[in-house]
Protein backbone atom coordinates (compact mmCIF):
# COMPACT_ATOMS: atom_id res chain seq x y z
CA UNK A 1 0.00 0.00 0.00
CA UNK A 2 1.37 3.37 -0.95
CA UNK A 3 0.24 6.84 0.01
CA UNK A 4 -3.51 6.89 0.60
CA UNK A 5 -3.81 3.21 1.33
CA UNK A 6 -3.44 1.25 -1.89
CA UNK A 7 -1.75 -2.13 -2.08
CA UNK A 8 1.18 -2.25 -4.46
CA UNK A 9 -0.23 -5.35 -6.10
CA UNK A 10 -3.34 -3.42 -7.19
CA UNK A 11 -1.66 -0.65 -9.15
CA UNK A 12 -2.72 0.01 -12.70
CA UNK A 13 -0.47 -1.33 -15.39
CA UNK A 14 -1.25 1.65 -17.68
CA UNK A 15 0.31 5.01 -16.92
CA UNK A 16 -2.31 7.70 -16.17
CA UNK A 17 -0.86 9.91 -18.90
CA UNK A 18 -1.45 7.23 -21.50
CA UNK A 19 -5.06 6.75 -20.35
CA UNK A 20 -5.79 10.47 -20.63
CA UNK A 21 -4.33 10.64 -24.12
CA UNK A 22 -6.44 7.67 -25.14
CA UNK A 23 -9.63 9.42 -24.08
CA UNK A 24 -8.76 12.56 -26.02
CA UNK A 25 -7.98 10.43 -29.05
CA UNK A 26 -11.39 8.74 -28.89
CA UNK A 27 -13.20 12.03 -28.44
CA UNK A 28 -11.47 14.14 -31.04
CA UNK A 29 -10.32 11.67 -33.66
CA UNK A 30 -6.79 10.49 -34.30
CA UNK A 31 -4.89 12.01 -31.41
CA UNK A 32 -7.22 15.03 -31.34
CA UNK A 33 -6.01 16.33 -34.72
CA UNK A 34 -9.56 16.50 -36.11
CA UNK A 35 -10.13 19.65 -34.07
CA UNK A 36 -7.81 21.68 -36.28
CA UNK A 37 -4.27 21.83 -37.52
CA UNK A 38 -1.69 19.45 -36.12
CA UNK A 39 0.27 20.86 -33.19
CA UNK A 40 3.77 22.07 -33.99
CA UNK A 41 6.63 19.63 -33.50
CA UNK A 42 8.08 19.82 -30.00
CA UNK A 43 11.74 19.42 -29.25
CA UNK A 44 12.38 16.66 -26.70
CA UNK A 45 14.87 17.82 -24.01
CA UNK A 46 18.30 16.25 -24.15
CA UNK A 47 18.01 14.39 -20.87
CA UNK A 48 14.88 12.64 -22.15
CA UNK A 49 16.52 11.72 -25.46
CA UNK A 50 19.33 10.16 -23.45
CA UNK A 51 16.72 7.93 -21.80
CA UNK A 52 15.41 6.76 -25.17
CA UNK A 53 12.47 9.17 -25.38
CA UNK A 54 11.53 10.16 -28.92
CA UNK A 55 7.95 11.40 -28.61
CA UNK A 56 5.70 13.41 -26.32
CA UNK A 57 3.78 10.44 -24.96
CA UNK A 58 6.97 8.75 -23.77
CA UNK A 59 8.08 12.01 -22.19
CA UNK A 60 4.80 12.31 -20.25
CA UNK A 61 5.09 8.75 -18.98
CA UNK A 62 8.73 9.22 -18.01
CA UNK A 63 7.93 12.44 -16.17
CA UNK A 64 5.21 10.69 -14.21
CA UNK A 65 7.62 7.94 -13.20
CA UNK A 66 10.08 10.43 -11.70
CA UNK A 67 10.56 9.98 -7.93
CA UNK A 68 8.58 12.67 -6.12
CA UNK A 69 8.53 14.89 -9.21
CA UNK A 70 12.31 14.99 -9.55
CA UNK A 71 12.27 15.65 -13.28
CA UNK A 72 15.92 16.71 -13.34
CA UNK A 73 16.86 13.12 -12.50
CA UNK A 74 15.18 11.75 -15.62
CA UNK A 75 17.58 10.42 -18.20
CA UNK A 76 20.46 10.41 -15.71
CA UNK A 77 22.04 6.96 -15.22
CA UNK A 78 21.12 5.53 -11.83
CA UNK A 79 22.14 2.59 -9.65
CA UNK A 80 19.62 0.48 -7.73
CA UNK A 81 20.43 -1.33 -4.50
CA UNK A 82 17.74 -3.78 -3.40
CA UNK A 83 18.41 -4.60 0.26
CA UNK A 84 16.65 -7.58 1.84
CA UNK A 85 16.57 -7.28 5.63
CA UNK A 86 16.22 -10.79 7.03
CA UNK A 87 17.90 -12.33 3.99
CA UNK A 88 18.66 -15.60 5.80
CA UNK A 89 14.96 -16.20 6.48
CA UNK A 90 12.28 -18.27 4.79
CA UNK A 91 10.38 -15.47 3.02
CA UNK A 92 13.48 -13.94 1.48
CA UNK A 93 14.76 -17.21 0.05
CA UNK A 94 11.42 -18.62 -1.07
CA UNK A 95 9.67 -15.52 -2.40
CA UNK A 96 11.55 -12.23 -2.46
CA UNK A 97 14.85 -13.08 -4.14
CA UNK A 98 13.37 -15.65 -6.58
CA UNK A 99 10.89 -12.95 -7.62
CA UNK A 100 13.76 -10.56 -8.24
CA UNK A 101 15.39 -13.21 -10.41
CA UNK A 102 12.15 -13.57 -12.41
CA UNK A 103 12.22 -9.80 -13.02
CA UNK A 104 15.87 -10.00 -14.05
CA UNK A 105 15.15 -12.91 -16.39
CA UNK A 106 12.50 -10.82 -18.13
CA UNK A 107 14.82 -7.80 -18.42
CA UNK A 108 12.76 -5.69 -16.03
CA UNK A 109 15.58 -4.65 -13.70
CA UNK A 110 18.01 -1.81 -14.50
CA UNK A 111 21.44 -2.59 -15.88
CA UNK A 112 23.15 -1.26 -12.75
CA UNK A 113 21.87 -3.00 -9.62
CA UNK A 114 22.82 -5.26 -6.73
CA UNK A 115 20.82 -7.42 -4.36
CA UNK A 116 22.23 -7.03 -0.85
CA UNK A 117 21.23 -9.43 1.89
CA UNK A 118 21.42 -8.32 5.52
CA UNK A 119 20.83 -10.50 8.58
CA UNK A 120 22.40 -11.44 11.90
CA UNK A 121 23.76 -14.78 10.74
CA UNK A 122 27.35 -14.67 9.60
CA UNK A 123 27.72 -15.69 5.97
CA UNK A 124 30.07 -15.01 3.06
CA UNK A 125 28.90 -13.84 -0.36
CA UNK A 126 29.57 -17.29 -1.84
CA UNK A 127 27.64 -19.04 0.95
CA UNK A 128 24.74 -16.66 0.43
CA UNK A 129 24.71 -17.39 -3.30
CA UNK A 130 24.81 -21.14 -2.67
CA UNK A 131 21.78 -20.85 -0.37
CA UNK A 132 19.89 -19.04 -3.16
CA UNK A 133 20.94 -21.15 -6.14
CA UNK A 134 18.55 -24.03 -5.43
CA UNK A 135 15.64 -21.59 -5.05
CA UNK A 136 16.04 -19.90 -8.42
CA UNK A 137 14.02 -21.60 -11.13
CA UNK A 138 12.85 -20.76 -14.64
CA UNK A 139 9.35 -20.11 -13.36
CA UNK A 140 8.58 -17.79 -16.26
CA UNK A 141 9.00 -20.50 -18.88
CA UNK A 142 9.84 -24.09 -18.01
CA UNK A 143 10.91 -24.74 -21.58
CA UNK A 144 13.81 -22.31 -21.49
CA UNK A 145 17.26 -22.79 -20.04
CA UNK A 146 18.20 -20.04 -17.63
CA UNK A 147 21.47 -21.27 -16.14
CA UNK A 148 23.37 -18.41 -17.77
CA UNK A 149 20.92 -15.87 -16.38
CA UNK A 150 21.16 -17.47 -12.95
CA UNK A 151 24.92 -17.08 -12.91
CA UNK A 152 24.63 -13.44 -13.99
CA UNK A 153 22.02 -12.74 -11.32
CA UNK A 154 23.88 -14.52 -8.53
CA UNK A 155 27.00 -12.51 -9.38
CA UNK A 156 25.00 -9.43 -8.40
CA UNK A 157 23.95 -10.88 -5.02
CA UNK A 158 25.96 -9.96 -1.93
CA UNK A 159 25.62 -10.38 1.81
CA UNK A 160 26.61 -8.52 4.93
CA UNK A 161 25.76 -9.28 8.54
CA UNK A 162 25.08 -7.09 11.52
CA UNK A 163 24.74 -7.55 15.24
CA UNK A 164 20.99 -6.87 15.14
CA UNK A 165 18.28 -4.97 13.25
CA UNK A 166 18.53 -2.06 15.68
CA UNK A 167 22.30 -1.74 15.40
CA UNK A 168 23.29 1.68 14.07
CA UNK A 169 26.81 0.44 13.44
CA UNK A 170 25.47 -2.56 11.51
CA UNK A 171 23.44 -0.33 9.19
CA UNK A 172 26.37 2.08 8.89
CA UNK A 173 28.50 -0.83 7.68
CA UNK A 174 25.68 -1.87 5.35
CA UNK A 175 25.55 1.63 3.86
CA UNK A 176 29.32 1.66 3.34
CA UNK A 177 29.08 -1.67 1.53
CA UNK A 178 26.33 -0.29 -0.70
CA UNK A 179 28.40 2.80 -1.46
CA UNK A 180 31.26 0.61 -2.62
CA UNK A 181 29.04 -1.01 -5.23
CA UNK A 182 27.41 2.29 -6.17
CA UNK A 183 30.79 3.90 -6.82
CA UNK A 184 31.83 0.94 -8.95
CA UNK A 185 28.72 1.50 -11.05
CA UNK A 186 29.80 5.06 -11.99
CA UNK A 187 26.23 6.38 -11.91
CA UNK A 188 25.04 9.88 -11.10
CA UNK A 189 22.27 8.69 -8.77
CA UNK A 190 22.02 5.82 -6.30
CA UNK A 191 18.55 4.63 -5.29
CA UNK A 192 17.87 2.17 -2.48
CA UNK A 193 14.96 -0.15 -1.70
CA UNK A 194 14.82 -1.88 1.69
CA UNK A 195 12.54 -4.93 1.92
CA UNK A 196 11.69 -5.77 5.52
CA UNK A 197 11.53 -9.54 5.53
CA UNK A 198 11.60 -9.46 9.34
CA UNK A 199 9.03 -9.76 12.17
CA UNK A 200 6.86 -6.63 12.75
CA UNK A 201 8.14 -6.18 16.31
CA UNK A 202 11.46 -4.94 14.90
CA UNK A 203 10.07 -2.88 12.00
CA UNK A 204 10.41 0.42 13.83
CA UNK A 205 14.01 -0.02 14.96
CA UNK A 206 15.02 -1.18 11.50
CA UNK A 207 13.22 1.80 9.92
CA UNK A 208 15.02 4.14 12.30
CA UNK A 209 18.40 2.69 11.37
CA UNK A 210 17.59 2.81 7.65
CA UNK A 211 16.55 6.46 7.94
CA UNK A 212 19.50 7.59 10.04
CA UNK A 213 22.34 5.44 8.77
CA UNK A 214 21.55 3.82 5.42
CA UNK A 215 19.42 6.20 3.34
CA UNK A 216 20.68 7.20 -0.08
CA UNK A 217 22.42 10.56 -0.13
CA UNK A 218 22.01 11.18 -3.87
CA UNK A 219 18.81 9.37 -4.82
CA UNK A 220 15.54 8.11 -3.38
CA UNK A 221 15.00 5.60 -0.57
CA UNK A 222 12.01 3.27 -0.29
CA UNK A 223 10.99 0.82 2.44
CA UNK A 224 8.73 -2.17 1.74
CA UNK A 225 6.82 -3.45 4.77
CA UNK A 226 5.44 -6.99 4.71
CA UNK A 227 2.48 -8.48 6.54
CA UNK A 228 1.42 -9.16 9.27
CA UNK A 229 1.37 -5.47 10.13
CA UNK A 230 0.99 -5.76 13.88
CA UNK A 231 -0.97 -8.15 16.09
CA UNK A 232 -4.17 -6.07 16.26
CA UNK A 233 -5.60 -2.64 15.41
CA UNK A 234 -3.82 -0.93 18.29
CA UNK A 235 -0.37 -2.29 17.42
CA UNK A 236 -1.00 -1.58 13.72
CA UNK A 237 -1.75 2.08 14.48
CA UNK A 238 1.36 2.25 16.65
CA UNK A 239 3.45 0.88 13.79
CA UNK A 240 2.05 3.46 11.37
CA UNK A 241 2.77 6.29 13.79
CA UNK A 242 6.25 4.97 14.49
CA UNK A 243 7.15 4.62 10.81
CA UNK A 244 5.96 8.18 10.21
CA UNK A 245 8.59 9.41 12.66
CA UNK A 246 11.40 8.06 10.49
CA UNK A 247 10.01 7.97 6.93
CA UNK A 248 7.66 9.97 4.77
CA UNK A 249 4.48 8.29 3.54
CA UNK A 250 5.82 8.35 -0.03
CA UNK A 251 8.77 6.24 1.10
CA UNK A 252 6.61 3.48 2.62
CA UNK A 253 5.13 0.59 0.62
CA UNK A 254 2.87 -1.80 2.56
CA UNK A 255 2.34 -4.98 0.59
CA UNK A 256 0.68 -8.38 0.72
CA UNK A 257 2.72 -10.65 -1.53
CA UNK A 258 -0.28 -12.93 -2.02
CA UNK A 259 -1.75 -10.31 -4.36
CA UNK A 260 1.09 -11.07 -6.75
CA UNK A 261 -0.03 -14.67 -7.34
CA UNK A 262 -1.22 -15.19 -10.90
CA UNK A 263 -4.58 -16.71 -9.91
CA UNK A 264 -5.31 -13.87 -7.48
CA UNK A 265 -4.31 -11.26 -10.07
CA UNK A 266 -6.68 -12.87 -12.58
CA UNK A 267 -9.72 -12.91 -10.28
CA UNK A 268 -10.96 -9.48 -11.39
CA UNK A 269 -10.59 -10.37 -15.06
CA UNK A 270 -12.27 -13.76 -14.48
CA UNK A 271 -15.21 -12.08 -12.75
CA UNK A 272 -15.87 -8.92 -14.73
CA UNK A 273 -14.51 -9.66 -18.21
CA UNK A 274 -15.72 -13.23 -18.70
CA UNK A 275 -19.03 -13.35 -20.57
CA UNK A 276 -19.88 -16.75 -19.08
CA UNK A 277 -19.11 -16.10 -15.41
CA UNK A 278 -20.01 -12.42 -15.06
CA UNK A 279 -23.83 -12.78 -15.25
CA UNK A 280 -23.79 -15.90 -13.05
CA UNK A 281 -21.54 -14.52 -10.29
CA UNK A 282 -24.25 -13.74 -7.74
CA UNK A 283 -25.98 -15.23 -4.70
CA UNK A 284 -28.85 -16.34 -6.92
CA UNK A 285 -26.54 -18.71 -8.81
CA UNK A 286 -23.84 -19.61 -6.26
CA UNK A 287 -24.89 -21.58 -3.20
CA UNK A 288 -21.65 -21.48 -1.22
CA UNK A 289 -17.99 -20.53 -1.55
CA UNK A 290 -15.01 -22.23 0.06
CA UNK A 291 -11.58 -20.59 0.14
CA UNK A 292 -9.04 -23.30 0.92
CA UNK A 293 -5.38 -22.72 1.74
CA UNK A 294 -3.21 -25.84 1.64
CA UNK A 295 0.52 -26.18 2.24
CA UNK A 296 2.52 -29.34 1.72
CA UNK A 297 5.23 -28.44 4.23
CA UNK A 298 5.52 -27.73 7.95
CA UNK A 299 6.79 -24.77 9.93
CA UNK A 300 10.35 -25.38 8.70
CA UNK A 301 12.20 -23.10 11.07
CA UNK A 302 9.29 -20.69 11.59
CA UNK A 303 8.20 -22.10 14.93
CA UNK A 304 9.22 -19.00 16.88
CA UNK A 305 7.31 -16.77 14.46
CA UNK A 306 4.13 -18.86 14.70
CA UNK A 307 4.40 -19.00 18.50
CA UNK A 308 4.21 -15.21 18.52
CA UNK A 309 1.76 -14.47 15.70
CA UNK A 310 -0.02 -17.71 14.81
CA UNK A 311 -1.45 -18.99 11.54
CA UNK A 312 -4.61 -16.84 11.72
CA UNK A 313 -2.67 -13.58 11.71
CA UNK A 314 -0.20 -14.96 9.19
CA UNK A 315 -2.73 -16.17 6.61
CA UNK A 316 -6.38 -15.34 7.27
CA UNK A 317 -6.50 -11.64 8.15
CA UNK A 318 -4.42 -10.69 5.11
CA UNK A 319 -4.05 -13.29 2.35
CA UNK A 320 -7.44 -14.95 2.55
CA UNK A 321 -9.42 -11.79 3.34
CA UNK A 322 -7.89 -10.24 0.22
CA UNK A 323 -9.08 -13.21 -1.84
CA UNK A 324 -12.51 -13.05 -0.21
CA UNK A 325 -12.83 -9.33 -0.97
CA UNK A 326 -11.81 -9.81 -4.62
CA UNK A 327 -14.26 -12.68 -4.91
CA UNK A 328 -17.26 -10.90 -3.36
CA UNK A 329 -16.87 -7.22 -4.25
CA UNK A 330 -19.08 -5.33 -6.68
CA UNK A 331 -17.62 -4.14 -10.01
CA UNK A 332 -15.30 -1.18 -9.38
CA UNK A 333 -15.74 2.07 -11.31
CA UNK A 334 -12.42 1.30 -13.00
CA UNK A 335 -9.30 -0.79 -12.48
CA UNK A 336 -7.78 2.20 -10.73
CA UNK A 337 -6.18 1.15 -7.43
CA UNK A 338 -8.36 3.40 -5.26
CA UNK A 339 -11.57 2.23 -6.94
CA UNK A 340 -10.66 -1.44 -6.38
CA UNK A 341 -9.76 -0.68 -2.77
CA UNK A 342 -13.07 1.09 -2.14
CA UNK A 343 -15.05 -1.94 -3.29
CA UNK A 344 -12.95 -4.23 -1.11
CA UNK A 345 -13.62 -2.07 1.93
CA UNK A 346 -17.38 -2.25 1.28
CA UNK A 347 -17.20 -6.04 1.43
CA UNK A 348 -15.24 -6.08 4.68
CA UNK A 349 -17.56 -3.55 6.32
CA UNK A 350 -20.63 -5.58 5.39
CA UNK A 351 -19.31 -8.82 6.87
CA UNK A 352 -20.84 -10.14 10.05
CA UNK A 353 -18.40 -10.13 12.96
CA UNK A 354 -17.24 -13.65 13.74
CA UNK A 355 -17.72 -15.06 17.20
CA UNK A 356 -15.53 -17.76 18.66
CA UNK A 357 -18.43 -20.22 18.38
CA UNK A 358 -18.35 -19.74 14.60
CA UNK A 359 -14.74 -20.89 14.32
CA UNK A 360 -13.11 -24.31 14.55
CA UNK A 361 -9.41 -24.13 15.38
CA UNK A 362 -6.72 -26.69 16.03
CA UNK A 363 -3.40 -26.54 17.82
CA UNK A 364 -0.26 -28.62 17.46
CA UNK A 365 0.80 -30.09 20.78
CA UNK A 366 4.21 -31.31 19.66
CA UNK A 367 6.35 -32.28 16.73
CA UNK A 368 6.78 -35.70 15.23
CA UNK A 369 9.82 -36.06 13.00
CA UNK A 370 10.65 -32.56 11.79
CA UNK A 371 11.97 -29.66 13.82
CA UNK A 372 10.05 -26.38 13.90
Amino acid sequence: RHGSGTYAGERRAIAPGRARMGRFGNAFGDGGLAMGNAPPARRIPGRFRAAGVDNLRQEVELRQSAPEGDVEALGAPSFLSFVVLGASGDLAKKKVIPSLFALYYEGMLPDNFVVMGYARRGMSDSEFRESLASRLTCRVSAGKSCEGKMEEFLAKCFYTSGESYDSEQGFRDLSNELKRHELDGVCERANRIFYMSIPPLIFLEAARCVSQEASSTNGWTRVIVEKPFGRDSESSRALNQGLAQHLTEKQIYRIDHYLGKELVENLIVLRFSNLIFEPLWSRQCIQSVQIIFNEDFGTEGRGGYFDNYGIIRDIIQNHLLQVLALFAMEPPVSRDAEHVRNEKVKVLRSMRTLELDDVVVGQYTGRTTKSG
Side-chain angles (χ1 to χ4, degrees), residues 46-59:
R47 63 176 174 273
F48 295 106
R49 292 199 305 275
V53 173
D54 57 9
N55 60 58
L56 179 59
R57 173 175 291 182
Q58 291 179 356
E59 180 184 341

PDB file of all heavy atoms in Angstrom, residues 46-59:
ATOM      1  N   GLY A  46      17.187  17.166 -24.004  1.00  0.00           N
ATOM      2  CA  GLY A  46      18.304  16.247 -24.152  1.00  0.00           C
ATOM      3  C   GLY A  46      18.307  15.125 -23.138  1.00  0.00           C
ATOM      4  O   GLY A  46      18.617  13.986 -23.458  1.00  0.00           O
ATOM      5  N   ARG A  47      17.954  15.430 -21.894  1.00  0.00           N
ATOM      6  CA  ARG A  47      18.009  14.388 -20.866  1.00  0.00           C
ATOM      7  C   ARG A  47      16.980  13.295 -21.131  1.00  0.00           C
ATOM      8  O   ARG A  47      17.151  12.152 -20.726  1.00  0.00           O
ATOM      9  CB  ARG A  47      17.796  14.999 -19.482  1.00  0.00           C
ATOM     10  CG  ARG A  47      16.442  15.656 -19.270  1.00  0.00           C
ATOM     11  CD  ARG A  47      16.311  16.135 -17.828  1.00  0.00           C
ATOM     12  NE  ARG A  47      15.097  16.899 -17.616  1.00  0.00           N
ATOM     13  CZ  ARG A  47      14.986  18.194 -17.822  1.00  0.00           C
ATOM     14  NH1 ARG A  47      16.043  18.872 -18.245  1.00  0.00           N
ATOM     15  NH2 ARG A  47      13.838  18.820 -17.603  1.00  0.00           N
ATOM     16  N   PHE A  48      15.859  13.649 -21.817  1.00  0.00           N
ATOM     17  CA  PHE A  48      14.877  12.635 -22.151  1.00  0.00           C
ATOM     18  C   PHE A  48      15.346  11.803 -23.351  1.00  0.00           C
ATOM     19  O   PHE A  48      15.127  10.597 -23.408  1.00  0.00           O
ATOM     20  CB  PHE A  48      13.527  13.285 -22.465  1.00  0.00           C
ATOM     21  CG  PHE A  48      12.921  13.966 -21.272  1.00  0.00           C
ATOM     22  CD1 PHE A  48      12.910  15.343 -21.155  1.00  0.00           C
ATOM     23  CD2 PHE A  48      12.357  13.215 -20.251  1.00  0.00           C
ATOM     24  CE1 PHE A  48      12.352  15.953 -20.053  1.00  0.00           C
ATOM     25  CE2 PHE A  48      11.803  13.819 -19.144  1.00  0.00           C
ATOM     26  CZ  PHE A  48      11.803  15.195 -19.036  1.00  0.00           C
ATOM     27  N   ARG A  49      15.991  12.463 -24.321  1.00  0.00           N
ATOM     28  CA  ARG A  49      16.517  11.715 -25.464  1.00  0.00           C
ATOM     29  C   ARG A  49      17.557  10.698 -24.998  1.00  0.00           C
ATOM     30  O   ARG A  49      17.650   9.596 -25.526  1.00  0.00           O
ATOM     31  CB  ARG A  49      17.132  12.679 -26.484  1.00  0.00           C
ATOM     32  CG  ARG A  49      16.108  13.572 -27.179  1.00  0.00           C
ATOM     33  CD  ARG A  49      16.696  14.147 -28.474  1.00  0.00           C
ATOM     34  NE  ARG A  49      17.945  14.846 -28.249  1.00  0.00           N
ATOM     35  CZ  ARG A  49      18.028  16.126 -27.883  1.00  0.00           C
ATOM     36  NH1 ARG A  49      16.925  16.834 -27.683  1.00  0.00           N
ATOM     37  NH2 ARG A  49      19.203  16.713 -27.708  1.00  0.00           N
ATOM     38  N   ALA A  50      18.314  11.079 -23.983  1.00  0.00           N
ATOM     39  CA  ALA A  50      19.332  10.157 -23.446  1.00  0.00           C
ATOM     40  C   ALA A  50      18.687   8.916 -22.846  1.00  0.00           C
ATOM     41  O   ALA A  50      19.301   7.857 -22.769  1.00  0.00           O
ATOM     42  CB  ALA A  50      20.188  10.867 -22.396  1.00  0.00           C
ATOM     43  N   ALA A  51      17.437   9.062 -22.396  1.00  0.00           N
ATOM     44  CA  ALA A  51      16.724   7.932 -21.796  1.00  0.00           C
ATOM     45  C   ALA A  51      15.913   7.161 -22.834  1.00  0.00           C
ATOM     46  O   ALA A  51      15.110   6.305 -22.496  1.00  0.00           O
ATOM     47  CB  ALA A  51      15.796   8.433 -20.691  1.00  0.00           C
ATOM     48  N   GLY A  52      16.097   7.489 -24.114  1.00  0.00           N
ATOM     49  CA  GLY A  52      15.410   6.757 -25.170  1.00  0.00           C
ATOM     50  C   GLY A  52      14.053   7.316 -25.515  1.00  0.00           C
ATOM     51  O   GLY A  52      13.236   6.638 -26.149  1.00  0.00           O
ATOM     52  N   VAL A  53      13.761   8.562 -25.120  1.00  0.00           N
ATOM     53  CA  VAL A  53      12.466   9.174 -25.385  1.00  0.00           C
ATOM     54  C   VAL A  53      12.514   9.861 -26.739  1.00  0.00           C
ATOM     55  O   VAL A  53      13.389  10.674 -27.005  1.00  0.00           O
ATOM     56  CB  VAL A  53      12.112  10.201 -24.288  1.00  0.00           C
ATOM     57  CG1 VAL A  53      10.843  10.952 -24.647  1.00  0.00           C
ATOM     58  CG2 VAL A  53      11.955   9.496 -22.954  1.00  0.00           C
ATOM     59  N   ASP A  54      11.554   9.525 -27.612  1.00  0.00           N
ATOM     60  CA  ASP A  54      11.534  10.161 -28.921  1.00  0.00           C
ATOM     61  C   ASP A  54      10.173  10.732 -29.284  1.00  0.00           C
ATOM     62  O   ASP A  54       9.951  11.150 -30.415  1.00  0.00           O
ATOM     63  CB  ASP A  54      11.987   9.180 -30.009  1.00  0.00           C
ATOM     64  CG  ASP A  54      11.130   7.921 -30.030  1.00  0.00           C
ATOM     65  OD1 ASP A  54      10.099   7.907 -29.330  1.00  0.00           O
ATOM     66  OD2 ASP A  54      11.499   6.970 -30.739  1.00  0.00           O
ATOM     67  N   ASN A  55       9.227  10.756 -28.327  1.00  0.00           N
ATOM     68  CA  ASN A  55       7.948  11.395 -28.612  1.00  0.00           C
ATOM     69  C   ASN A  55       7.334  11.915 -27.322  1.00  0.00           C
ATOM     70  O   ASN A  55       7.787  11.597 -26.210  1.00  0.00           O
ATOM     71  CB  ASN A  55       6.989  10.440 -29.331  1.00  0.00           C
ATOM     72  CG  ASN A  55       6.685   9.202 -28.497  1.00  0.00           C
ATOM     73  OD1 ASN A  55       6.195   9.309 -27.382  1.00  0.00           O
ATOM     74  ND2 ASN A  55       6.977   8.029 -29.043  1.00  0.00           N
ATOM     75  N   LEU A  56       6.294  12.726 -27.472  1.00  0.00           N
ATOM     76  CA  LEU A  56       5.696  13.410 -26.323  1.00  0.00           C
ATOM     77  C   LEU A  56       5.074  12.435 -25.347  1.00  0.00           C
ATOM     78  O   LEU A  56       5.171  12.606 -24.133  1.00  0.00           O
ATOM     79  CB  LEU A  56       4.642  14.401 -26.818  1.00  0.00           C
ATOM     80  CG  LEU A  56       3.892  15.194 -25.729  1.00  0.00           C
ATOM     81  CD1 LEU A  56       4.882  15.989 -24.892  1.00  0.00           C
ATOM     82  CD2 LEU A  56       2.858  16.111 -26.367  1.00  0.00           C
ATOM     83  N   ARG A  57       4.440  11.390 -25.859  1.00  0.00           N
ATOM     84  CA  ARG A  57       3.785  10.442 -24.964  1.00  0.00           C
ATOM     85  C   ARG A  57       4.809   9.780 -24.047  1.00  0.00           C
ATOM     86  O   ARG A  57       4.605   9.653 -22.839  1.00  0.00           O
ATOM     87  CB  ARG A  57       3.050   9.371 -25.768  1.00  0.00           C
ATOM     88  CG  ARG A  57       2.487   8.247 -24.881  1.00  0.00           C
ATOM     89  CD  ARG A  57       1.664   7.269 -25.677  1.00  0.00           C
ATOM     90  NE  ARG A  57       0.436   7.888 -26.137  1.00  0.00           N
ATOM     91  CZ  ARG A  57      -0.496   7.237 -26.827  1.00  0.00           C
ATOM     92  NH1 ARG A  57      -0.327   5.967 -27.126  1.00  0.00           N
ATOM     93  NH2 ARG A  57      -1.597   7.853 -27.207  1.00  0.00           N
ATOM     94  N   GLN A  58       5.938   9.358 -24.606  1.00  0.00           N
ATOM     95  CA  GLN A  58       6.973   8.747 -23.768  1.00  0.00           C
ATOM     96  C   GLN A  58       7.503   9.740 -22.751  1.00  0.00           C
ATOM     97  O   GLN A  58       7.807   9.374 -21.615  1.00  0.00           O
ATOM     98  CB  GLN A  58       8.110   8.231 -24.654  1.00  0.00           C
ATOM     99  CG  GLN A  58       7.734   7.029 -25.509  1.00  0.00           C
ATOM    100  CD  GLN A  58       8.879   6.571 -26.377  1.00  0.00           C
ATOM    101  OE1 GLN A  58       9.933   7.195 -26.400  1.00  0.00           O
ATOM    102  NE2 GLN A  58       8.676   5.476 -27.107  1.00  0.00           N
ATOM    103  N   GLU A  59       7.598  11.008 -23.133  1.00  0.00           N
ATOM    104  CA  GLU A  59       8.083  12.010 -22.190  1.00  0.00           C
ATOM    105  C   GLU A  59       7.115  12.157 -21.018  1.00  0.00           C
ATOM    106  O   GLU A  59       7.524  12.241 -19.854  1.00  0.00           O
ATOM    107  CB  GLU A  59       8.264  13.362 -22.875  1.00  0.00           C
ATOM    108  CG  GLU A  59       8.763  14.437 -21.922  1.00  0.00           C
ATOM    109  CD  GLU A  59       8.854  15.807 -22.568  1.00  0.00           C
ATOM    110  OE1 GLU A  59       8.891  15.895 -23.813  1.00  0.00           O
ATOM    111  OE2 GLU A  59       8.879  16.787 -21.819  1.00  0.00           O
TER     112      GLU A  59
END
